[in-house]
């Protein structure tokens, strides 16, 4: 199959638009890659999207010699679809990635041209930091970050094959990954770990109207069939098929902006990164977004063109929450649907119509958008198209995102059935961390769903699997009141440095400072214990309802809706004014702490169960405990990695859990006995690496 | 529903929110000051730990940090606790109404010298159902207390390292048995009027939560009108009112009859109704030679050797084109699923004389009685099934003796009794077998007594009700905390109606709203 003429034309058009400003970066990369002398790395990351870049950077931060292989260096860090980052749930992920020293938060602060906090009036636990991005600046930031990351090499090439050998008998798994073979490469490149982040390129097909062509993104060559073959045939991995799409890009000058609603950004932009006090763009230079809506004419065009639209007729699963305009009007006919027009960059002459992803022929796309207020004379720069692609059923992965049956093979991003930049980046970071730890003989690390959205994401993927592209929502997190965007650093940065090794000393020191300051401030508030009448006198505006002469401390007073930390600080400047830097965080802590305390016990119970790991080589059918055949079958099929994961499985009875618990305890005791006889080498290595990591130049 | 319910049983109720209409600060005073940190976070559980039926004394056990509070507020021992492990005769009163419920023995076991290793309390009270119910409900009204889940006392003992190796081995099976008993008990309650009410509440709560969640996760970019929340406000208000009425209703809805549930089941014309009539010594059910005479469930209360038994006769199991009969068969299957003990009646005249062949056919009968989803892995445990071969008067005596002799040697069959409802031959032997089964079942405090399930349901409903107050309190201040209230309410109710997962909520969201982001 070859590219249909229409797709090709647009593809080359897009390329020429992108190339010029990237020349300088390209030349720096070439220089970097030219002295590629080694044929051996600790970690190879395949793919340069959101998952791949985070994976490569994280692996290098942990201390692994890392190689990033991508088809085209200039598309590293490209925003293939919407020019935005964050949102409700997704913004939580960005904050967590940043807390683990990932790239996307800082890249967002660098490239953002419209910042807003969604859900501002709904409570800090569900605030959604979000930004519109300048595509070019985002790419530049990611590329220059990767370039300056020690131990990281970038190589342009197409992976022809994944090299696999016999497994290490001491570890679970049927295979072991040994490296990759490039399409043009003479020699294989070997590595202990390989992270695949191929996005929509795994057996990807592009759809527009009635034409289809192989590929994962318009303008890029399809990836090699060898990789899909190895995953399916050689490694025996189960795959499924999903679809997604992207809207046409619209020429800004052709839009009548007087007919659409203007939505301005926040006048005081909040940066994503815990390291940044400000964003790069001047607040007053931010660009607005615009809102318009569909009309009955849009529905008519969709219905009339259904026979010309083969993407919509295929039965691969698309996301329910990011549907094409076709499925929106078909599923909810007779309604007005929102269309957001988003800026693509400070100097870009394009607008991105959020909510108008479509796959009909280009001439019909034009007819459709011209039915929308403000777009009556709009011109399409690049038409929308659909993508169908294979994903690997993620239940075949461990919580470290390693393929259970293949030692050293990690998967992250859309290949695991997710959608969205933030979801991909989060997995990439965690797969990169674990790929590096595997290569360096350090034990795998897991993030619990009780401590992070990344943990929720990974646990949902590996223990439940996906039936449609998976996107993060705050409603997926049981402990939403504890997992807030504001406290991601306290939840993850400390652990990221102390236990994981993916956080720089600089960031760690900042997180420690924040933690200590917050503790001091809260201690000061608690020490401020006064009787109700005195509080009333000090804070006359507060509606304090206690009538009795009871003692109330500052933390409790701060829980009142109409009390801010600033109010308290001006009433008690001597003991509180020094803590004003974290006024907002202290207020949030005061309000949420009681609720988090209520959740603490459940969280501890889950964590305890998650800490009891179930051996992966267990033969559930011959396990000498009393389990029903049905339970054995479920356990054998899913192979939960921890007792906690087993508890969440459908069909597992409490009795089965008790039997497993007994078994794990017995086995643990036996292992400890043998353990004492053989001093563990891994721990030494880990200490050595942690020391090395801590002393790295920042 | 089952797997999720298992999970509900396993998970201890976490959030014992107390109904309080005060302001947030006052409510959290204790937790903020750290007064109730540490041990006080653990919950205190209670349960009836003796059997029911012909017992003069019932034992109620309490374990956990609030045991001392329960002890002092129910016995009036406010100054000092009684000497450890010493029986003390006291009046037992309701902590709220101060009404004297009973006079009984009180034993105090301070940690760690107790079965569970925690502070524990035993109340030895009179065995009547009214007293037991009153004491359990009074305990449930003490803050921080809730009814124990299946096997929870033993599990706590296990965690405290108080169990021997063999006891630990048996723990899983014990929990299995208790879970099963609770499951059957819950099924009985859920199949009635009350079950429909709880399901309806659960459905409404799910929609409320879905709509609040949609408003949180999507409203900024989507066309989700503010009216959505007003609708939720109304629903929450209505639900609160309904629950309050329900919790205050002294009649507690339908009163379930106490007793071991014994169900007669089998093919048509095997003589099930004759067996019922024989057992209750009166023509309670219509009998006729026409297959399919019994169409609805016929229920009779019996006393078997002093133990209360609820005996139900059901429609014969067969595929029938008749709508009424089909409904009867459905009800029969439902009863079998809820039964503590099932008497499978078989027409012995249709059995081959060879014992092995007869056994195969009998196993077929057992399987046809079982609910379809339990097949084929269930073992026909002796304590849940009895085989009754009826119409032995139609058999030649030597064949009857041969079956009687050989069938008891076949493994994999529950106890077999050969009787004739016509001549009453073999009836005495059968009654002995039935009596011993019923006796075993009555030793288990969980079978037959609806009180415990009711107490548990009540505790969960109270938590649910309290959690809805959190929604009201935070509705205009912090929607995330308000949503948390609805979520807690649904979790509490889910312990009765089955757990609701995040995916189910998302399904409602995507059905009700067009999310296009």
């Amino acid at each position: 199959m070859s590219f249909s003429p229409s797709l090709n034309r647009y593809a080359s058009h897009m390329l020429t638009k992108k190339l010029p400003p990237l020349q300088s970066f390209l030349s720096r990369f070439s220089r970097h890659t030219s002295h590629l002398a080694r044929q051996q790395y600790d970690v190879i990351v395949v793919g340069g999207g959101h998952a791949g870049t985070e994976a490569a950077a994280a692996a290098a931060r942990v201390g692994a010699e890392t190689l990033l292989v991508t088809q085209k260096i200039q598309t590293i860090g490209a925003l293939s679809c919407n020019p935005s980052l964050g949102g409700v749930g997704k913004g939580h992920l960005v904050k967590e990635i940043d807390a683990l020293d990932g790239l996307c938060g800082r890249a967002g602060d660098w490239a953002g041209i419209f910042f807003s906090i969604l859900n501002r009036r709904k409570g800090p636990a569900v605030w959604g930091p979000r930004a519109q991005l300048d595509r070019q600046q985002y790419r530049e930031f990611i590329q220059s970050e990767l370039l300056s990351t020690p131990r990281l090499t970038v190589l342009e090439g197409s992976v022809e094959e994944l090299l696999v050998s016999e497994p290490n008998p001491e570890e679970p798994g049927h295979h072991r990954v040994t490296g990759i073979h490039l399409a043009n490469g003479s020699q294989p490149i070997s590595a202990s770990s390989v992270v695949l982040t191929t996005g929509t390129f795994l057996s990807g097909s592009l759809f527009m109207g009635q034409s289809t062509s192989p590929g994962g993104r318009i303008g890029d060559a399809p990836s090699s069939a060898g990789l899909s073959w190895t995953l399916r045939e050689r490694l025996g991995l189960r795959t499924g098929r999903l679809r997604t799409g992207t809207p046409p890009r619209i020429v800004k000058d052709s839009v009548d902006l007087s007919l659409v609603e203007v939505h301005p950004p926040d006048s005081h932009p909040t940066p994503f990164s815990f390291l940044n006090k400000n964003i790069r763009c001047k607040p007053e230079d931010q660009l607005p977004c615009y809102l318009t809506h569909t009309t009955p004419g849009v529905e008519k065009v969709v219905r009339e063109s259904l026979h010309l639209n083969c993407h919509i007729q295929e039965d691969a699963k698309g996301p329910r929450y990011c549907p094409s305009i076709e499925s929106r009007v078909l599923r909810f006919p007779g309604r007005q649907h929102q269309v957001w027009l988003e800026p693509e960059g400070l100097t870009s002459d394009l607008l991105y119509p959020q909510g108008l992803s479509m796959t009909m022929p280009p001439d019909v796309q034009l007819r459709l958008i011209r039915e929308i207020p403000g777009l009556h004379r709009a011109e399409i720069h690049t038409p929308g198209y659909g993508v169908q692609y294979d994903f690997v059923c993620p239940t075949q992965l461990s919580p470290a995102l390693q393929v259970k049956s293949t030692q050293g093979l990690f998967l992250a991003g859309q290949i695991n059935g997710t959608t969205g930049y933030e979801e991909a980046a989060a997995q990439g970071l965690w797969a990169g961390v674990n790929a590096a730890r595997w290569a360096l003989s350090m034990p795998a690390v897991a993030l619990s769903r009780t401590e992070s959205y990344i943990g929720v994401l990974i646990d949902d993927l590996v223990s439940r699997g996906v039936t449609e592209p998976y996107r993060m929502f705050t409603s997926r997190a049981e402990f939403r009141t504890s997992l807030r965007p504001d406290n991601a650093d306290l939840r993850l940065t400390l652990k990221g440095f102390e236990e994981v090794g993916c956080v720089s000393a600089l960031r760690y020191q900042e997180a420690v400072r924040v933690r200590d300051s917050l503790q001091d401030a809260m201690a000061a508030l608690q020490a401020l214990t006064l009787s109700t009448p005195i509080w009333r006198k000090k804070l006359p505006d507060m509606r304090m309802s206690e009538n009795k002469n009871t003692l109330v401390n500052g933390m409790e007073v701060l829980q009142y809706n109409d009390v801010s930390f600033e109010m308290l600080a001006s009433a008690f400047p001597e003991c509180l004014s020094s803590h004003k830097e974290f006024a907002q965080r202290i207020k949030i802590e005061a309000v949420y702490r009681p609720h988090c305390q209520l959740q603490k016990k459940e969280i501890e119970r889950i964590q305890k169960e998650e800490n009891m790991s179930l051996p992966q080589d267990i033969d559930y059918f011959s396990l000498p405990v009393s389990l029903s055949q049905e339970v054995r079958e479920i356990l054998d099929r899913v192979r939960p990695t921890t007792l906690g994961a087993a508890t969440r499985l459908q069909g597992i009875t409490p009795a089965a859990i008790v039997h497993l618990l007994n078994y794990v305890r017995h086995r643990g005791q036996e292992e400890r006995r043998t353990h004492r006889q053989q001093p563990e080498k891994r721990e030494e290595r880990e200490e050595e690496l942690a020391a090395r990591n801590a002393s790295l130049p920042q | 529903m089952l797997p999720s319910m298992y999970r509900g049983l396993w998970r201890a109720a976490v959030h014992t929110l107390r109904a309080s209409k005060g302001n947030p600060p006052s409510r959290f005073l204790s937790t903020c000051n750290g007064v109730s940190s540490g041990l006080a976070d653990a919950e205190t559980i209670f349960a009836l730990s003796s059997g029911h039926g012909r017992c003069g004394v019932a034992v109620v056990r309490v374990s956990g940090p609030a045991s001392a509070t329960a002890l002092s507020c129910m016995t009036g021992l406010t100054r000092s606790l009684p000497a450890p492990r010493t029986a003390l005769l006291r009046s037992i009163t309701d902590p709220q109404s101060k009404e004297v419920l009973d006079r009984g023995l009180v034993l105090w076991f301070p940690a760690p010298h107790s079965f569970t290793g925690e502070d524990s309390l035993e109340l030895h009270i009179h065995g009547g159902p009214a007293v037991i119910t009153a004491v359990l409900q009074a305990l449930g009204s003490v803050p921080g207390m809730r009814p124990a889940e299946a096997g929870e006392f033993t599990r706590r003992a296990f965690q405290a390292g108080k169990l021997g190796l063999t006891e630990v081995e048996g723990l899983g099976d014990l929990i299995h048995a208790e879970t099963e008993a609770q499951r059957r008990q819950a099924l009985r309650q859920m199949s009635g009027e009350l079950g429909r009410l709880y399901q309806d509440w659960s459905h409404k709560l799910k929609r409320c939560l879905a709509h609040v969640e949609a408003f949180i996760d999507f409203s900024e970019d989507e066309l989700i009108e503010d009216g959505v929340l007003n609708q939720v406000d109304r629903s929450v208000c209505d639900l609160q009112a309904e629950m309050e009425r329900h919790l205050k209703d002294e009649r507690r809805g339908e009163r379930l009859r106490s007793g071991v549930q014994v169900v007669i089941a089998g093919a048509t014309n095997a003589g099930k109704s004759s067996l019922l009539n024989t057992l209750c010594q009166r023509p309670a059910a219509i009998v006729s030679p026409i297959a399919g005479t019994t169409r609805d469930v016929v229920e009779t209360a019996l006393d078997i050797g002093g133990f209360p038994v609820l005996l139900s006769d059901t429609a014969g199991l067969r595929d029938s084109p008749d709508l009424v009969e089909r409904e009867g068969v459905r009800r029969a299957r439902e009863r079998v699923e809820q039964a503590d003990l099932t008497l499978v009646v078989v027409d012995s005249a249709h059995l081959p004389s060879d014992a092995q062949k007869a056994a195969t056919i009998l196993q077929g009968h057992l399987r046809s009685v079982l609910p379809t989803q339990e097949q084929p892995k269930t073992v026909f445990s002796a304590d849940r099934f009895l085989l009754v071969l009826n119409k032995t008067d139609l058999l030649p005596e030597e064949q009857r003796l041969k079956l009687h002799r050989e069938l008891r040697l076949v493994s994999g069959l529950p106890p077999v009794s050969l009787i004739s409802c016509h001549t009453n031959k073999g009836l005495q032997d059968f009654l002995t077998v039935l009596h011993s089964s019923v006796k075993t079942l009555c030793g288990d405090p969980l079978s037959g007594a609806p009180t415990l399930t009711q107490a548990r349901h009540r505790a969960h409903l109270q938590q649910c009700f309290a959690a809805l107050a959190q929604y009201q309190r935070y509705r205009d201040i912090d929607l995330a905390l308000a949503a948390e209230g609805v979520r807690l309410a649904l979790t509490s109710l889910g312990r009765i109606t089955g757990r609701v997962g995040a995916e189910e909520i998302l399904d409602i969201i995507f059905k009700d709203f067009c999310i296009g982001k």
Side-chain angles (χ1 to χ4, degrees), chain B residues 281-499:
Chain B
Q281 295 169 312
R282 66 185 165 92
I286 304 167
V287 290
S288 86
I290 301 162
T293 303
T294 307
R295 293 182 157 201
D296 202 351
V297 177
V298 178
E299 203 175 68
T300 322
L302 282 182
D303 181 306
I304 293 186
F307 296 107
V309 166
L310 263 183
L311 185 66
S312 311
D313 179 26
T314 61
L317 301 170
R318 67 168 179 183
D319 290 327
S320 166
D322 184 319
L323 270 180
V324 179
E325 191 174 349
R326 266 218 297 262
E327 173 60 18
V329 171
R330 192 193 64 76
R331 289 185 188 188
R333 293 200 184 281
E334 193 177 88
R335 274 304 163 110
V336 171
E337 208 175 334
Q338 300 164 5
D340 293 313
L341 179 68
T342 304
L343 310 179
V344 181
V345 183
V346 178
D347 184 346
S348 64
H350 291 164
L351 287 178
S353 52
D354 179 72
Q356 273 307 332
K357 280 184 191 156
T360 317
I361 289 178
L362 289 174
Q363 256 152 0
H365 277 284
L366 283 165
R367 263 196 293 277
S368 72
V369 166
L370 271 182
T372 35
Q373 66 267 31
E374 280 189 34
Q375 289 184 25
K377 284 158 194 154
T378 311
V379 186
F380 303 109
S381 56
D383 50 355
R384 277 204 62 197
F385 292 92
L386 294 182
L387 262 173
V388 182
L389 309 192
N390 191 19
K391 306 193 188 176
T392 50
D393 52 301
L394 301 179
L395 291 185
E397 181 61 11
E398 65 200 76
Q399 197 188 333
R400 192 186 72 82
L401 285 172
K402 186 162 174 271
L403 279 175
H404 185 68
R405 210 170 42 238
E406 292 177 6
L407 275 179
R408 58 182 59 191
L409 302 175
V410 180
S411 65
L413 278 186
V416 181
S417 301
L418 287 99
I419 63 161
S420 161
C421 291
H422 189 58
T423 63
N424 280 356
K425 185 158 194 176
L427 191 65
Q428 212 45 53
D429 287 349
F430 168 63
L431 279 176
T432 314
V433 174
L434 182 60
H435 179 229
S436 92
S437 288
V438 169
K439 191 173 162 189
T440 316
L441 283 168
C442 276
D444 177 354
L446 283 164
S447 64
T451 351
L452 273 183
T453 318
Q454 280 173 350
R456 190 177 305 109
H457 284 186
R458 202 175 165 74
H460 295 322
L461 287 180
Q462 265 157 348
Q463 283 172 6
C464 177
F465 180 72
L468 286 179
Q470 180 173 334
Y471 173 82
Q472 307 278 27
R473 200 156 51 231
Y474 287 103
R475 161 66 168 84
D476 297 319
I477 303 173
D478 187 315
L479 205 58
L481 292 177
E484 189 68 16
V486 184
R487 227 199 266 215
L488 287 174
L490 192 55
T491 311
S492 303
L493 194 61
R495 291 180 206 281
I496 305 176
T497 58
R499 187 174 160 273

Side-chain angles (χ1 to χ4, degrees), chain A residues 125-408:
Chain A
V126 294
W127 283 353
R130 185 172 187 277
Q132 296 297 143
L133 305 172
D134 183 304
R135 290 181 188 275
Q136 189 184 318
Q137 288 179 8
Y138 190 86
R139 217 162 45 211
E140 283 173 10
F141 183 91
I142 296 282
Q143 293 182 0
S144 76
E145 270 295 306
L146 294 185
L147 198 64
S148 60
T149 302
R151 289 181 296 275
L152 175 60
T153 312
V154 180
L155 177 65
E156 193 168 87
S158 182
V159 175
E160 179 67 42
E161 211 181 328
L162 193 64
L163 302 176
V164 175
S165 78
E166 289 305 303
N168 173 356
E170 288 179 8
E171 301 277 354
H174 306 301
H175 309 275
R176 181 164 57 96
V177 92
T178 56
I180 56 167
H181 212 290
L182 292 180
N184 53 353
S186 42
Q187 277 183 312
I189 309 175
S190 66
S192 312
S193 315
V194 172
V195 187
L196 293 182
T197 67
T198 51
T200 55
F201 281 81
L202 204 62
S203 307
S205 329
L206 303 174
F207 288 74
M208 192 194 291
Q210 287 170 297
S211 61
T212 62
S213 56
R217 177 170 55 201
I218 204 157
D220 290 335
S223 69
S224 124
L227 202 57
S228 312
W229 183 88
T230 312
L231 292 179
R232 255 194 306 262
E233 307 300 327
R234 182 91 198 273
L235 304 180
L237 294 178
R238 271 176 293 121
T239 58
R241 204 151 174 82
L242 293 172
R243 70 174 173 198
T244 183
T246 194
R249 311 299 196 264
I250 292 171
V251 179
K252 196 174 182 177
D253 288 345
S254 66
V255 178
D256 186 349
L257 294 174
S258 66
L259 295 176
V260 295
E261 209 177 295
V262 180
H263 278 249
D266 290 354
S267 50
H268 299 288
T270 316
F272 287 109
S273 175
F274 288 99
L275 292 184
N276 289 337
K277 297 272 173 280
N278 299 297
I279 58 162
R280 194 178 68 127
C281 181
K282 282 198 206 114
E284 61 276 18
D285 289 348
Q286 295 181 90
L287 297 177
C289 286
Y290 307 95
L291 179 63
T292 179
H293 52 84
T294 62
T295 57
V298 168
E299 199 170 321
K300 193 158 161 265
V301 174
V302 167
R303 290 192 188 279
E304 282 169 6
S305 64
L306 277 183
H307 63 288
L308 300 171
N309 198 337
C310 55
H311 186 61
I312 218 76
Q313 291 154 8
E314 303 266 336
D315 57 352
K317 282 262 190 160
R320 288 180 295 182
Y321 37 77
C322 187
S324 58
I325 190 65
E326 291 95 328
S327 32
R328 292 176 87 181
V329 302
L330 292 177
R331 275 181 44 211
F332 293 92
R335 283 199 206 175
Q336 215 179 53
H337 299 275
Q338 287 186 327
V339 175
W340 289 92
L341 301 176
E342 304 176 345
E344 293 238 324
L346 283 177
T347 55
S348 169
D349 48 9
L350 301 182
L351 284 176
Y352 177 94
Q354 177 81 266
L356 278 189
S357 141
M358 56 179 86
T359 55
M360 51 200 68
D363 55 315
V364 186
Q365 296 194 12
L366 191 64
R367 248 175 68 208
L368 186 147
I369 64 159
R370 291 191 169 180
E371 295 287 341
I372 294 172
L375 303 182
H376 295 306
R377 273 183 291 277
E379 290 296 338
I380 290 182
H381 175 271
T382 318
Y385 61 93
V387 189
Q388 296 191 6
Y389 56 97
D390 279 357
F391 73 100
V392 174
C393 299
T395 48
Q396 300 165 102
L397 305 179
S398 75
L401 295 175
Q402 179 171 205
V403 174
K404 287 180 191 167
S405 64
T406 309
Q407 298 167 6

Side-chain angles (χ1 to χ4, degrees), chain A residues 122 321 338 480 545 592, chain B residues 23 213 216 219 221 478 517:
Chain A
K122 291 177 201 161
Y321 37 77
Q338 287 186 327
R480 181 165 64 189
S545 51
Y592 276 83
Chain B
N23 281 305
E213 294 291 3
I216 286 176
S219 74
D221 295 305
D478 187 315
K517 182 78 185 163

Side-chain angles (χ1 to χ4, degrees), chain A residues 84 88-89 117-126 130 132 291 320-323 328 331-332 335-338 340 342 354-355 460 464 467-468 470-481 526 543-546 550-553 555-557 559-561 591-592 594-595 597-602 605-606 608-609 626 629-630 633 647-659 661-662 665-666, chain B residues 3-7 9-17 22-34 41-43 146 150 155-156 158-159 165 168-177 179 209 212-226 373 377 470 473-474 476-481 483-484 487-488 495 499 501-503 505-517:
Chain A
S84 63
V88 182
I117 302 265
L118 304 185
N119 277 349
R120 181 67 97 171
R121 284 199 303 270
K122 291 177 201 161
V126 294
R130 185 172 187 277
Q132 296 297 143
L291 179 63
R320 288 180 295 182
Y321 37 77
C322 187
R328 292 176 87 181
R331 275 181 44 211
F332 293 92
R335 283 199 206 175
Q336 215 179 53
H337 299 275
Q338 287 186 327
W340 289 92
E342 304 176 345
Q354 177 81 266
D460 281 352
R464 285 179 218 174
T467 51
E468 65 179 330
Y470 179 101
R471 175 186 152 176
M472 184 47 73
F473 305 113
T474 65
S475 57
R476 294 191 193 273
E478 299 85 335
F479 304 109
R480 181 165 64 189
T481 45
Q526 296 218 314
R543 288 172 297 144
M544 194 174 227
S545 51
E546 265 96 332
T550 47
L551 288 177
V552 179
N553 72 38
M555 279 293 270
E556 290 152 16
V557 170
Q559 287 167 17
Y560 280 91
N561 198 29
V591 174
Y592 276 83
H595 299 271
Q597 224 112 42
L598 284 176
Q599 294 186 338
K600 219 172 122 197
K601 197 176 141 240
E602 174 76 354
R605 186 188 64 76
I606 292 179
K608 211 160 83 188
E609 286 174 356
S626 143
Q629 191 63 19
E630 197 185 345
E633 275 166 19
T647 315
R648 287 191 288 277
L649 290 177
Q650 282 277 327
I652 300 295
T653 60
I657 294 296
V658 170
H659 284 306
L661 177 71
N662 282 342
R665 281 204 180 172
H666 280 290
Chain B
S4 50
M5 218 190 76
Y6 281 139
R7 215 162 325 165
L9 291 170
W10 166 256
R11 285 193 177 196
V14 185
H15 310 279
T16 17
L17 283 170
N23 281 305
S26 61
R27 214 189 119 222
F28 295 116
L29 271 179
S30 57
T31 34
C32 286
N33 294 339
D41 286 341
E43 290 166 305
R146 64 167 172 81
R155 207 169 65 232
R156 288 192 179 195
F158 167 60
Q159 274 156 2
L165 205 63
V168 172
E169 296 295 325
L171 176 59
D173 299 323
L174 173 84
I175 289 177
H176 176 72
T179 323
L209 183 59
V212 178
E213 294 291 3
F215 195 75
I216 286 176
D217 270 336
F218 304 105
S219 74
E220 292 274 336
D221 295 305
E222 305 303 328
L223 282 173
I224 292 178
E225 306 81 11
D226 287 5
Q373 66 267 31
K377 284 158 194 154
Q470 180 173 334
R473 200 156 51 231
Y474 287 103
D476 297 319
I477 303 173
D478 187 315
L479 205 58
L481 292 177
E484 189 68 16
R487 227 199 266 215
L488 287 174
R495 291 180 206 281
R499 187 174 160 273
E503 280 302 318
I505 298 300
L506 286 172
D507 283 342
I508 300 179
I509 293 180
F510 294 123
K511 210 157 68 205
D512 289 3
F513 303 104
C514 177
I515 309 295
K517 182 78 185 163

